[in-house]
Amino acid sequence: PVELDRVVMKALAKKAGERYQSAKEMLGELRGVHGAMSDEDKHRTLRLPVRAGTMPAPAPPPKHSSGLSSLSGAFATLSQTLQRPRLSVVNVSIGIVLAGLVVWGIVYWWRPGLHKPKPEAQRMYEVGTGALRDGAYYQASKALEQAVKIDESFALAHASLAESWTELDYTDKAKDELLRLNSLVPDQSTLSPVDALYLDAIRATVTRNFPRAIEAYQQILKLTPDDATNKAQVYVDLGRAYEKNEEIGKAIESYTQATARDKQYATAYLRLGILNGRKQDMTSALSDFDKAYEMYQTLGTIEGRAEVHYQRGLLYNNIGKLADARAELQQALSLAQTTDNKYQQIKTRLQLSSVSYAENDSKQAEQHVQEAINLAQAGGMETLTAQGLIDLGNIYLIRGEFQEADKYYTQALDFTQRYKARRIEARAHLALGGLRMQQGNADEAISQIEQALPFYQQGGYSKNASLCLNVLARASRRQGDYAGALERYRQLLELARKVRDPNQEATTEESLGLTLMKLERYTEALAHFDAGLDINKNLKSQLNMGYNLQSRGEALWRLGRYDEARAALTEAAGIAEQPSGGSKELRADIQRFFAEMALSQRQFPEARTRAEQALALAGTQYADSATEAMRVQGLAQSLSGAAREGQKLCAEVVERATRSGDPWLLSESQLALAEAMLENKDAQGALPLVQQALESFVRSSQTDSEWRAMLVLARAARLAGDEATAQQHSARASEVLASLQPKWGVDNYRSYLTRPDVQYYRKQLDEVSTLKR
């Protein structure tokens, strides 16, 4: 009994809340003491009768309390009972069981009292979590910072603050909050089931484990009574988790459930409006926004009304209703200025910049971005400052001012690395990758994208990952891997359609068309240009329409459809030359396509003039465009009597193309130089050039260029006196030319044959075939 008492008191001294294993070990020790009794004692106790009256009346069970002191009476009773000289095995067993029950009760029934937040901290917590649900992450962070400042032990406030830091891309700050949370709650079993699940859900959200967050919120729903006032909030939390996991349909169901539970819940209607807008269900989206606005107005929440105007403006911008977008965003900006809400002002100005850019007003776009950056810097909002710098770089990129674009992208990258803003850092790498592609540096572009893509893929940022893959596809195209580029673009197109992203869909259609143009599959390319143009018309995206039109114009003139080509290029020029800012790159390409079309019509003076204009516009920023303009200029000179000057210029073109690393540009330049050399009667110089070009054309199935290269080979062989080889090349050229008809269709093939340059080349082919010197 003395040993039993020692063990029991040892158990009672254990701190409440210890794990079951500790209690289990103590009970095992009790059993061990009983088992250590001698056989003689056990035998003797079995023979002794239990006398009536020796068992005391059981003490009443101890009441639940938050401290060990309130159990001391019960423990004393148990200790005294065990110390009485009763030797019956039954009595000893009862003591063991009672001791075990007490220990079990300590572990499972008694816990330290759950922390009750201070009233003001609780109020700020509710403000912060409400802002999180609204998507007002900066306001949420400020309210939650106040909550944890008032009450440092408020675990859920720390968790929600971590979530707000994550949304604002302050990765390290979010991790710090989770560490504080772990020290505050080392054992979640001390929490209520609902609070423990909320911590699980928030941790999963911060670490982007959205399926786990969904599961936790679903369990919270099951534990929340149907008549609970916060049931609608739980549905909104579940909806946000579905949103982040790209399960839009389920998110809409959750938000709809929230509105059914609370018909005055503005946040639920706001989220419904955003998601129905993504689905391009304009009727439902606008109706949801109207309901949210009415409720925010009733509540007197100016920031809520500003958010509705902002989201409407974003929706209108995405579908190309630019005038409506501007009107909504201006109202959002005005309300944000009324409340001096800097966060709303900044993001609204950045969106206004996007509208101005779509309207082709780059100066106004730059002004909005610069004002946003100034506000962000003054308010110490580093991540928003970095976003503004990237947007500013984008504007300079479109203008063709690559040095300025590079400067702002690099500044943004420095900001993000300094403040550990991983998501925006990835965006800066993505922007730099796009810039390097514009500069023709595919290897550096790939290097930048490889620093961004893993972050997006691991974090589940599917849209941003798609943008990275787009740049990689462009790099593949530039390096001559056309099959790889086509495969990537088709995957991107499927994804864009799946998530209903019309902007990405239009961009991918254009990219597919450009890749097919490299392969000289003009009719297929034209279909993609037309599809992209239709989407951009619906979006009213003027600048993108300009690119679609100029690409369409190139495909049309190559098929001999000059009138249609001229109309498309003229319309594109009208967009590119708008006084509000236009695109220098687009203007250069349009002039180059006019030059190439004139060259194909053998209108050499116009070809040279247009090529000179394209060259002046391209300058040093658009090296590839400048190289191609020089190629047209050199051929126009060679074919119009200035053979020596033309050959010299074409030789410079080959040097530039070689440095570019673009196999398509190099092979086209080699073919042009070989043709210029033949005009100078230099067969020996032309032969190796055209042979190298022909290998590239055959490898890539560039049939249009292949038959023309075979013709140049035939002419060079004939000029060198090798009639047999000339005949072989001539026959092969005729076969390859004829193979275009089934690829393009009868009408397009016939139109192609009407091109003056094609007629001229066919005449040369006939001359070689008839063995005439």
Side-chain angles (χ1 to χ4, degrees), residues 627-665:
T627 300
E628 292 188 61
M630 289 176 65
R631 175 178 57 80
V632 175
Q633 194 176 31
L635 270 178
Q637 287 178 332
S638 296
L639 297 174
S640 61
R644 189 178 298 277
E645 293 82 357
Q647 181 177 331
K648 183 179 179 181
L649 194 55
C650 287
E652 184 180 348
V653 168
V654 170
E655 290 179 5
R656 292 169 63 112
T658 302
R659 291 195 300 268
S660 75
D662 184 339
W664 179 88
L665 186 59

Side-chain angles (χ1 to χ4, degrees), residues 69 177 276 278 323 328 421 426 736:
S69 59
E177 288 304 321
N276 281 319
R278 284 179 60 179
E328 291 290 344
V736 175

Side-chain angles (χ1 to χ4, degrees), residues 7 14 20-31:
V7 175
K14 289 290 182 179
Y20 171 69
Q21 186 61 33
S22 298
K24 185 177 178 181
E25 290 171 359
M26 295 171 210
L27 291 173
E29 193 173 351
L30 283 170
R31 295 188 188 98

Side-chain angles (χ1 to χ4, degrees), residues 485-501:
L486 285 174
E487 178 63 24
R488 276 183 168 147
Y489 282 133
R490 284 170 179 147
Q491 290 174 358
L492 288 170
L493 184 60
E494 182 180 351
L495 180 61
R497 289 170 176 168
K498 181 179 179 180
V499 300
R500 299 186 181 184
D501 185 343

Side-chain angles (χ1 to χ4, degrees), residues 236-250:
V236 167
D237 291 335
L238 176 60
R240 290 177 61 237
Y242 277 130
E243 256 192 89
K244 293 178 182 297
N245 205 41
E246 294 295 334
E247 296 182 66
I248 304 305
K250 291 183 178 180

Side-chain angles (χ1 to χ4, degrees), residues 281-301:
D281 182 354
M282 291 298 294
T283 302
S284 297
L286 294 176
S287 174
D288 293 328
F289 285 143
D290 287 345
K291 290 174 183 175
Y293 190 88
E294 180 182 350
M295 293 166 195
Y296 282 130
Q297 194 165 33
T298 300
L299 294 169
T301 308

